[in-house]
Amino acid sequence: MGVDVGGTKIYAAVFNQHLQLLAKARHTTKADRGVVAVVERIVRTIYDAIDEADLTVEQVEAIGIGAPGVTDPDTGTVLFAPNLGWHEVPLAQMISKRINRPVIVENDCNAIAYGVFRLEFKGEPSSLFGIFIGTGIGGGIILRGHIYRGFNKTAGEIGHMVLDIGGPKCSCGNKGCFEALASRRAILREIKRRIKKGEHSILPELASTDIGEVRSKMLLEALKRGDKVVREVISEASRYCGIAVRSIINVFSPEVVVLGGGVIEALRDYMLPHIEKTARKYAIGGIGRDVRIVATQLGDDAGVAGCAALALERIGLCGESMAADSKLYG
Amino acid sequence: MGVDVGGTKIYAAVFNQHLQLLAKARHTTKADRGVVAVVERIVRTIYDAIDEADLTVEQVEAIGIGAPGVTDPDTGTVLFAPNLGWHEVPLAQMISKRINRPVIVENDCNAIAYGVFRLEFKGEPSSLFGIFIGTGIGGGIILRGHIYRGFNKTAGEIGHMVLDIGGPKCSCGNKGCFEALASRRAILREIKRRIKKGEHSILPELASTDIGEVRSKMLLEALKRGDKVVREVISEASRYCGIAVRSIINVFSPEVVVLGGGVIEALRDYMLPHIEKTARKYAIGGIGRDVRIVATQLGDDAGVAGCAALALERIGLCGESMAADSKLYG
C-alpha cells in the first residue's frame, strides 16, 4: 500500500506486486486536530482502501507513507513537516502499532519522483530530477535506481534554490526562491497584485472564493477564455521554471527532468513548451546528448505508487536490482 | 603524475603512491598556437617534472590530465574547452602516443574536487561539493568516493546556476549566473564600474595594469589598506557566494562544501565568514547535522593531486575501495 499524507488530504491506495492500482480511499487531513488525530485518520483511510479492494489487513505486505517534510527513512520518523505542524513524529512506529504491518516513511516529493521513475520510466534512466509545482514547490532526485537523500536527508529542495536575489520574500525566510516565484501561491499573489493595480482579469468573476484560494484548473479556464493577466503571469512563471530546470541541468546533468504537481497537471500544454525552450537555451549540459524534459502523466498516483514500491523493496519483495539498501546514498 | 592544463599555464607534478608531491614544473600554455603546439608544451612540462624528480619516463605509472572544459573520461577526449579553443581533441591518445604511458583526461574542476576529497578529507565524506572561484567559477561533485559527472558529463557547472534573473550578462549567454556575479572577472568589472561612476579606490594606483587584469592578491592588498569600494564589492560577491552555497545545500545536501580557486585562496579570511553566515541562514539542510563549509588549503596542488589519484586508480594502483570503476556514475 501507498499512502500520501498531504496538508489537506490523505490518499491511500492498494497495489499489487506489479504496481497496478487495485483500490483507493481519501479523507481530509484535519492537521489542526494534532498528531494523534491525524494518525487516526491515516489508519482509517488505510482500512477504507483495504476494504475497497476486498482484502483483509493481513493480506497487506507493507505500507509506505509519504509525508510533506523532512523524514528519516531509517527510523520512520517525520523530523519536520511545517504544513502538518509536526516535529519528530515517529510515524512508522505509530502506524505499525495500530495496523501491525511493516511501515516505511518517505518524503512525499521523493516518493513521487520514485513513483514516476518506476512506473512511467520503468526504472531505466541513470538519473532523474523531479520538480513538483503545487501550492509550494518540491523536488526529488533518483540516482542509479535509488532516492538520493543527501547528508541531511533534505536533498531535492529545489523550491528553495534562489533564482532572483532581490525577488519576493519566501516562506523559508529568504528572498527570490523558486517557490516564491512560480508556485501556485506565487502565481496567485502576482495575479492579485496586478488586479489591485487596476489590470483587468476575469478570474474574480470565475472564482467564487478569494483569488488566493483559486485552484490550478480555474487558471486553465481563465487562460482558455483569453485572460491576459493570467496568461502573462503563467508565462512568467514558466520562464522562472525553465531557468530553474536549466540550472539543474548545468549543476546536476540528470538524464531526465520530470515536472509534475497540480500547476503542471492543469497547465502543462501551456507551460511545458515555454519551460523547455527557456531551459534548453544556453544550457551547458546541452553539449552532449539531450536531457529529456517531460511532464508526468501519473498525477496523484505517482506518490502512492512510489510509496508502495519503496515499502515492497524494504521488505525484499522486488527484483534484485531494486532491492539494494536505500541507505546507500544517505 | 598529475597535469593541470589551464588557459594560461600548464602545471605538472610527480607524486608517489601516497600522493606526496615529489617534483613539479610549469610552462605557459600559449593556447593561441593551436592544439598541436599546446600538446607539445604539455609533453615538455611532463618531461621537465620527471627530470626534476630524478626519474625516467619508464618509472611513471600513469598520467592524469585536467582540462578546463567538458571531457569524456571514457575516451580521454576534451569535448569542448572554450578557454583553449578546443573541440573534440583526443588528448589522452595524443599524449600517450608521445609518452607511451597510460593517460586519463578529466575536467579540471572535477580533478580539484577529487584531489581535495582524497588529500584534505582522506576520502571520508559521503558527498562533497567543490566550488572554485577564479577568473570564472567551476565546480565538482564527489559522491560516495567517485566523481559524479552526470548524464552529459557536465555535472558541477555551478558557475552557470542562475542567482539573479535580471543580473549582469554571463559569457554563457544567460543573465545573472553565479559566475557573472562573483568570479574575479565579475568583481573587477563591478569595481571598474564604480570607479567610473566617480567612487574612490586605491586599486588604480596599486595596479600597474588595467583593472580588468588585477590579480586576487592585489584585491587583498587593497582590502588591507581599507579600500571601501573593494571591500563593498568583495562583500557583495561573498553574499552571492553564500546564496549559491545555500542553494546547493538545499538542493543537494552534501556533507561538505569546499571553496577554492584564486579568489578564495587570496581572500578566504575575509570572504569565508560572510559566505558561511549567508549560507547557513534559512538553509533547509540545516535541520539535521551541520553541513561543513570550508576553504581548501591545497591551492594549485589539489588539481594535480586529483589527476594523479585518478590516473593511479584507473590502472588499479590504489586501495580496493577507491578502485571501483569511475564510470559507475557516468
Side-chain angles (χ1 to χ4, degrees):
Chain A
M1 288 201 65
V3 186
D4 184 44
V5 180
T8 53
K9 267 178 306 187
I10 299 163
Y11 174 32
V14 182
F15 292 86
N16 64 16
Q17 284 188 34
H18 309 292
L19 284 186
Q20 289 163 322
L21 198 150
L22 303 180
K24 52 194 178 181
R26 283 176 213 265
H27 283 292
T28 52
T29 308
K30 307 267 185 205
D32 52 324
R33 293 193 190 168
V35 175
V36 175
V38 172
V39 167
E40 196 54 52
R41 298 176 78 81
I42 294 171
V43 170
R44 204 207 302 173
T45 315
I46 291 171
Y47 273 112
D48 283 359
I50 294 172
D51 177 62
E52 189 63 33
D54 298 314
L55 296 172
T56 63
V57 71
E58 292 74 24
Q59 290 174 284
V60 174
E61 295 287 355
I63 301 170
I65 305 183
V70 182
T71 61
D72 182 347
D74 296 334
T75 62
T77 305
V78 178
L79 299 173
F80 177 53
N83 288 345
L84 299 173
W86 287 10
H87 278 269
E88 302 272 350
V89 173
L91 185 61
Q93 198 188 321
M94 291 173 86
I95 299 286
S96 68
K97 213 169 172 179
R98 293 288 313 278
I99 305 194
N100 199 26
R101 305 307 301 153
V103 177
I104 64 123
V105 169
E106 183 55 74
N107 166 269
D108 55 353
C109 289
N110 286 351
I112 299 170
Y114 194 67
V116 169
F117 171 74
R118 286 290 306 275
L119 269 186
E120 212 160 8
F121 290 91
K122 313 292 175 208
E124 283 164 8
S126 55
S127 54
L128 178 151
F129 203 111
I131 301 176
F132 308 113
I133 308 182
T135 315
I137 296 181
I141 304 173
I142 311 296
L143 262 189
R144 292 189 67 225
H146 297 282
I147 293 171
Y148 172 78
R149 299 186 182 88
F151 181 63
N152 273 327
K153 305 183 199 295
T154 53
E157 284 287 0
I158 190 175
H160 302 288
M161 178 171 79
V162 171
L163 290 187
D164 186 10
I165 232 163
K169 185 124 183 153
C170 182
S171 62
C172 74
N174 291 319
K175 275 180 168 181
C177 289
F178 180 25
E179 177 167 301
L181 294 164
S183 63
R184 195 179 65 234
R185 212 186 283 128
I187 290 168
L188 295 177
R189 191 192 50 226
E190 178 62 13
I191 292 173
K192 232 172 156 171
R193 193 189 65 80
R194 291 178 64 158
I195 292 173
K196 216 173 174 179
K197 246 182 54 190
E199 295 186 51
H200 179 70
S201 163
I202 56 168
L203 209 56
E205 295 157 45
L206 279 177
S208 52
T209 58
D210 178 80
I211 286 183
E213 305 295 315
V214 159
R215 308 299 304 173
S216 303
K217 277 179 190 161
M218 189 77 78
L219 291 173
L220 179 62
E221 187 57 33
L223 269 185
K224 281 183 178 165
R225 297 198 190 185
D227 191 303
K228 186 167 166 270
V229 168
V230 171
R231 195 186 66 230
E232 287 177 3
V233 173
I234 296 289
S235 162
E236 189 64 9
S238 306
R239 193 171 75 94
Y240 289 128
C241 191
I243 289 169
V245 172
R246 187 172 61 210
S247 286
I248 288 303
I249 292 174
N250 285 343
V251 177
F252 194 76
S253 189
E255 183 168 347
V256 180
V257 176
V258 177
L259 295 148
V263 169
I264 296 291
E265 209 179 326
L267 305 168
R268 54 179 292 157
D269 292 343
Y270 190 82
M271 290 180 76
L272 200 62
H274 281 259
I275 292 170
E276 215 180 326
K277 198 180 150 199
T278 308
R280 293 206 190 276
K281 202 175 176 186
Y282 310 123
I284 310 276
I287 204 163
R289 296 167 296 177
D290 261 0
V291 173
R292 275 186 286 172
I293 302 170
V294 294
T296 174
Q297 306 276 6
L298 292 179
D300 283 355
D301 291 342
V304 284
C307 286
L310 287 164
L312 276 186
E313 279 159 34
R314 191 65 69 90
I315 60 166
L317 272 181
C318 59
E320 263 306 308
S321 68
M322 294 292 172
D325 188 350
S326 60
K327 277 182 282 185
L328 270 175
Y329 288 91
Chain B
M1 288 200 65
V3 186
D4 185 42
V5 180
T8 53
K9 268 178 308 187
I10 300 164
Y11 174 31
V14 181
F15 293 86
N16 64 18
Q17 284 188 35
H18 308 293
L19 283 186
Q20 289 163 323
L21 198 150
L22 303 180
K24 52 193 177 182
R26 282 176 214 265
H27 283 292
T28 51
T29 307
K30 308 268 185 204
D32 51 326
R33 294 194 190 168
V35 175
V36 175
V38 171
V39 167
E40 195 55 51
R41 298 177 77 82
I42 295 172
V43 171
R44 202 206 304 174
T45 316
I46 290 171
Y47 272 112
D48 283 359
I50 294 172
D51 177 61
E52 189 62 33
D54 298 314
L55 295 172
T56 63
V57 71
E58 291 74 25
Q59 289 174 285
V60 174
E61 295 287 357
I63 302 170
I65 305 183
V70 182
T71 61
D72 183 347
D74 296 335
T75 62
T77 306
V78 178
L79 299 173
F80 177 53
N83 289 345
L84 299 174
W86 288 9
H87 279 272
E88 302 272 352
V89 173
L91 185 61
Q93 197 188 321
M94 291 173 86
I95 299 285
S96 67
K97 214 169 172 181
R98 292 290 312 278
I99 307 196
N100 199 27
R101 305 306 301 154
V103 177
I104 64 123
V105 169
E106 183 55 77
N107 166 271
D108 56 353
C109 289
N110 287 351
I112 299 171
Y114 194 67
V116 169
F117 171 73
R118 286 290 305 275
L119 268 187
E120 211 159 8
F121 289 92
K122 313 293 174 207
E124 283 163 7
S126 55
S127 54
L128 178 151
F129 203 112
I131 301 176
F132 309 112
I133 308 181
T135 316
I137 296 180
I141 305 173
I142 311 297
L143 262 189
R144 292 189 65 228
H146 297 282
I147 292 170
Y148 171 79
R149 301 187 180 88
F151 181 62
N152 272 327
K153 307 184 197 293
T154 53
E157 284 287 0
I158 190 177
H160 303 287
M161 178 170 79
V162 171
L163 290 187
D164 187 10
I165 232 163
K169 185 121 183 156
C170 182
S171 61
C172 74
N174 292 319
K175 276 180 168 183
C177 290
F178 181 24
E179 177 167 301
L181 294 163
S183 63
R184 197 180 63 233
R185 211 187 285 129
I187 289 169
L188 295 177
R189 190 191 51 225
E190 178 63 12
I191 291 173
K192 232 172 156 173
R193 192 189 66 80
R194 291 178 64 158
I195 291 173
K196 214 170 174 180
K197 246 182 55 190
E199 295 188 52
H200 179 70
S201 164
I202 56 168
L203 210 55
E205 295 157 47
L206 279 177
S208 52
T209 57
D210 178 79
I211 286 182
E213 303 296 315
V214 159
R215 308 299 305 173
S216 303
K217 277 179 188 161
M218 190 77 78
L219 292 173
L220 178 63
E221 187 57 34
L223 270 184
K224 280 183 179 163
R225 298 198 191 184
D227 192 303
K228 186 166 165 274
V229 168
V230 171
R231 195 186 67 231
E232 286 177 5
V233 173
I234 296 289
S235 162
E236 189 64 9
S238 306
R239 193 171 75 93
Y240 289 128
C241 190
I243 289 168
V245 172
R246 186 172 63 211
S247 285
I248 287 303
I249 292 175
N250 286 344
V251 176
F252 194 76
S253 189
E255 184 168 346
V256 180
V257 176
V258 177
L259 295 148
V263 171
I264 297 291
E265 209 179 324
L267 305 168
R268 55 179 292 158
D269 292 344
Y270 190 82
M271 290 181 75
L272 200 62
H274 281 260
I275 292 170
E276 211 177 331
K277 198 179 151 201
T278 308
R280 292 208 190 278
K281 201 172 175 187
Y282 309 123
I284 311 274
I287 205 164
R289 297 167 296 175
D290 261 358
V291 175
R292 276 186 285 170
I293 302 170
V294 295
T296 174
Q297 306 276 3
L298 292 180
D300 283 355
D301 292 341
V304 284
C307 285
L310 287 164
L312 277 185
E313 278 157 35
R314 191 64 69 89
I315 60 164
L317 272 180
C318 59
E320 263 307 308
S321 67
M322 294 292 171
D325 187 349
S326 60
K327 279 182 279 184
L328 271 172
Y329 288 92

Short mmCIF file of all heavy atoms in Angstrom, two decimals, chain B residues 196 257 272 308:
data_model
loop_
_atom_site.label_atom_id
_atom_site.label_comp_id
_atom_site.label_asym_id
_atom_site.label_seq_id
_atom_site.Cartn_x
_atom_site.Cartn_y
_atom_site.Cartn_z
N LYS B 196 34.44 54.32 -12.32
CA LYS B 196 33.99 55.14 -13.44
C LYS B 196 32.88 56.09 -13.01
O LYS B 196 32.76 57.21 -13.51
CB LYS B 196 33.46 54.21 -14.54
CG LYS B 196 33.73 54.73 -15.96
CD LYS B 196 33.40 53.67 -16.99
CE LYS B 196 33.53 54.22 -18.40
NZ LYS B 196 33.22 53.17 -19.38
N VAL B 257 30.89 21.26 1.80
CA VAL B 257 31.04 22.20 0.68
C VAL B 257 32.45 22.78 0.80
O VAL B 257 32.81 23.33 1.84
CB VAL B 257 30.00 23.34 0.74
CG1 VAL B 257 30.25 24.35 -0.38
CG2 VAL B 257 28.59 22.79 0.66
N LEU B 272 35.21 33.97 3.72
CA LEU B 272 34.60 32.76 4.27
C LEU B 272 33.55 33.03 5.37
O LEU B 272 32.47 32.43 5.34
CB LEU B 272 35.66 31.77 4.74
CG LEU B 272 35.17 30.33 4.87
CD1 LEU B 272 34.71 29.77 3.54
CD2 LEU B 272 36.23 29.43 5.49
N ALA B 308 46.50 12.88 -10.51
CA ALA B 308 47.39 11.76 -10.24
C ALA B 308 46.63 10.61 -9.58
O ALA B 308 46.79 9.44 -9.95
CB ALA B 308 48.55 12.22 -9.36
#
